[in-house]
Structures are given as structure tokens and as C-alpha cells.
Amino acid sequence: MASDTHYRIFGVELSPYSVKVRSYFRYKQIPHEWVVRDQSTMGEYQQHAKLPIIPLVVGSDGSVQQDSTPILETFEAAHPEPSIHPDDSIAAFVSALLEEFGDEWGNKWMFHYRWAREADQVSASERLVASMMPGVEGAPFADAAAGLRERMLGRVWFVGSSPQTGPQIEESFQEGVRLLDAHLADRPYLFGGRPAFGDFGLWGQVYNAFTDPTAGAFLREHTPRLLPWIERMLEPKDEGAFEGWASLAPTLTPFLRSQVGTLFLPWSVANAAALADGAEEFSVELAGRTWTQKPQKYHAKSLVALRAKYAAARNPGLDALLDETGCREAIAAG
């Protein structure tokens, strides 16, 4: 990718993966244009998109990329400075682990809250229609919002949201953001004075949850130190250096233990096993409660990628941390 190449990022504000990529481009100061995928830009989007997903990044050099994590990894290789990977090897792997957590479990937080209650359903459907169909008003707007709402309610199963799992998702969100709030008490970003890979993955989901009525109200009431991070990541800038794992561990280890080792990774392993078995549905015990859902195909691929990163980074200190937090068995398998 030539340094003088400009990029068009097709996305929408209510897409956590779209704003994740936009935040990264802003931080790296990579020349780009934010293009809302709406009726006026859909034709151009469809010319380039290989899959019906956003974000889509189209370069003036003819390059086309989709899927937020590979996008960040590809551009990081081409634009290595300032790096989003901490020098400390343990912190660097934890950052990659949190990026994966954000994409796959943080999305359960956001998507569940967005579509579980009427107030959030109405808010999200109306904002999405306003974004995708600018200028549409009156009965056509109301009909489009109602249709979108109905379609999305039929898709909540995709992230595992159901009457059975909903309470556990909400408890995970509430505990998780409180732990992040404590961790951010003395630092601007998750890994110190600069945004890391993990910041971008988690932030896209938390920022979108913040824009919804129910989750946003919880964040405003209970996580005052998280709110500046949400705002800061819209236009992230260096404010210092990355910290070593020793200084991060006291407040980030509890998050790894309660959210990643206890919930996310056991779910990840069960999901991958269900796909390998060709199962239409799977159940797994998470923190003593039964979680049931249809398997998610993409996540099995990202789990393989995470395990490869672990194999490359493996060292005694990292293994000790992963053992302590209940993460190692799931990551080392396969």
C-alpha cells in the first residue's frame, strides 16, 4: 500500500466494526474518507464488496478489504508507527486477546442490549433508517423502521441472545465495564498512554452500547472513568508510552479472569466443537449456568488465529498469567 494512497471506509455509526476501523485510521492518520453506506452510496459499495458486510475499505490503488481485524492487521504491517502493539510480550498478547474478546463477546453485550427492550429497539431502528435512508420521513420512515426492527429481532440468536442467556449477558456487561472503569482510573487507554489493538476491538462495542438508551444509561451512572475513554477513542492520540504488564496486572487481571477465562473462552471452545461436529445447536456451562445457542461459524476461524498468536508469543510469564485466569487450556488447545 503506497503512502499516498487514499481510502474510502464504507460503514455506519451504529456498526461497532465500522467505527473500530475508522478510529484506527484516525489514530494512524491514514488519509481516508468516511462514507456512510446509504441509498446514495450503495451502488459503489456493491461494486467492491465481496460479502454483504461493513466496514469495507476501498483504496485509490484499487485495493479492497473487509473484516475489521484483518484490516487493522494489514494496515499495521504497512504503517507500523506508531505501533498499536505493546513492547511487553505479555501485554501484547493480552491486547490481542482483548481485541478478540471485544469482537466476539463484546458484540454479545452490544447486540443483546440494542434489541432486548422496546426503547432500545425503537431507538436503534430509527437511527439506522435515518442513516441509511436520509430524507425519508413520515409513514415511509415509520414503515422502514418497523421492518428493520422486525428483521433484527429475528437475528438476535446469531450472537446467542435469548431469554435464557440474556440475564448472563447483562451481568457480564455490567461486571465487565465496572472492571474496565477501575482499570482506567489512572491511564487514558487500556495499556497505558497509547491505544492498543485491544482498545480498538473493545471500544467499538462499548461505544455503540453507549449510544443506546439502556446500556448508555448504565455506563453514565456506573462507569465515570470509562466515559472519557469512550470519548477519547473517537479521535485517539498518543498521551504517553505503553505500560509493562507488571503495572497493568493488578486491575486488568480481574477482567481476564471473570470475563475471558470464565465466560468467553469456554464459550469459544464449545462453539468450535459444535461446528466441528456439524451440530445445529450447542450448550455449555458458563459460570455454573447453561448457555445454549446456534454455533457461530466465523468465530472458529478467529479462535484458530488467536491460538497461533499464543504459540508465537508463548513464554513462562504468559503461561502463568493464562493459568491464573483460567485462559490457558482453551488457548493452548488445538
Side-chain angles (χ1 to χ4, degrees):
M1 287 178 286
S3 60
D4 59 350
T5 302
H6 285 64
Y7 299 91
R8 289 165 65 78
I9 304 173
F10 289 80
V12 296
E13 199 74 23
L14 271 70
S15 159
Y17 305 105
S18 297
V19 296
K20 167 187 171 182
V21 169
R22 185 184 65 186
S23 176
Y24 174 82
F25 270 62
R26 287 175 173 176
Y27 173 61
K28 289 287 188 165
Q29 299 185 24
I30 299 170
H32 69 280
E33 178 186 359
W34 172 250
V35 182
V36 176
R37 190 189 66 175
D38 59 19
Q39 290 177 319
S40 67
T41 61
M42 184 60 75
E44 183 182 357
Y45 166 84
Q46 291 175 336
Q47 287 177 10
H48 298 286
K50 297 182 174 115
L51 297 169
I53 60 172
I54 48 177
L56 167 74
V57 177
V58 179
S60 59
D61 59 357
S63 61
V64 177
Q65 296 184 65
Q66 292 181 276
D67 192 344
S68 66
T69 297
I71 288 171
L72 264 62
E73 291 174 335
T74 298
F75 278 88
E76 188 66 11
H79 303 269
E81 296 298 334
S83 177
I84 60 169
H85 301 302
D87 295 330
D88 183 296
S89 62
I90 297 177
F93 180 77
V94 172
S95 174
L97 181 55
L98 292 186
E99 195 272 346
E100 176 74 355
F101 173 92
D103 276 5
E104 304 298 335
W105 191 267
N107 186 244
K108 298 183 189 304
W109 289 351
M110 187 282 298
F111 204 79
H112 166 79
Y113 267 104
R114 178 161 287 175
W115 301 106
R117 295 170 176 83
E118 183 176 8
D120 299 280
Q121 295 165 11
V122 171
S123 171
S125 59
E126 290 184 348
R127 285 182 291 144
L128 282 165
V129 169
S131 173
M132 296 185 298
M133 302 170 64
V136 175
E137 299 177 348
F141 179 90
D143 290 344
L148 175 62
R149 176 181 175 184
E150 183 177 356
R151 290 195 300 276
M152 297 307 293
L153 290 177
R155 296 182 61 192
V156 295
W157 61 266
F158 181 74
V159 299
S161 173
S162 69
Q164 175 202 35
T165 62
Q168 192 164 30
I169 294 173
E170 295 192 7
E171 289 170 18
S172 169
F173 170 78
Q174 292 171 14
E175 180 180 15
V177 296
R178 281 183 165 124
L179 289 170
L180 292 174
D181 183 73
H183 177 67
L184 288 164
D186 300 313
R187 53 185 59 89
Y189 301 102
L190 295 178
F191 292 85
R194 296 163 56 182
F197 199 33
D199 285 275
F200 293 102
L202 262 174
W203 172 79
Q205 308 293 342
V206 176
Y207 165 65
N208 258 264
F210 175 72
T211 70
D212 293 329
T214 303
F218 183 90
L219 290 166
R220 289 180 179 88
E221 181 176 356
H222 298 286
T223 61
R225 294 169 295 194
L226 190 66
L227 300 182
W229 173 75
I230 294 173
E231 180 70 21
R232 189 175 293 119
M233 284 294 295
L234 282 165
E235 299 270 1
K237 296 177 177 61
D238 284 351
E239 299 185 28
F242 284 127
E243 298 175 38
W245 179 249
S247 65
L248 298 166
T251 48
L252 205 48
T253 299
F255 184 90
L256 292 177
R257 183 183 298 111
S258 77
Q259 299 300 308
V260 184
T262 301
L263 299 174
F264 172 55
L265 288 176
W267 172 85
S268 300
V269 171
N271 180 76
L275 287 169
D277 293 341
E280 293 294 321
E281 187 176 86
F282 72 93
S283 294
V284 59
E285 293 296 308
L286 301 180
R289 296 155 76 173
T290 301
W291 177 290
T292 300
Q293 74 165 98
K294 296 180 182 180
Q296 292 176 222
K297 292 182 180 180
Y298 177 79
H299 179 61
K301 297 178 182 178
S302 59
L303 178 59
V304 171
L306 181 65
R307 285 169 169 168
K309 291 176 182 178
Y310 163 73
R314 185 174 183 180
N315 63 63
L318 176 58
D319 283 348
L321 170 66
L322 297 179
D323 282 334
E324 177 189 353
T325 54
C327 296
R328 186 178 176 190
E329 182 177 357
I331 294 175

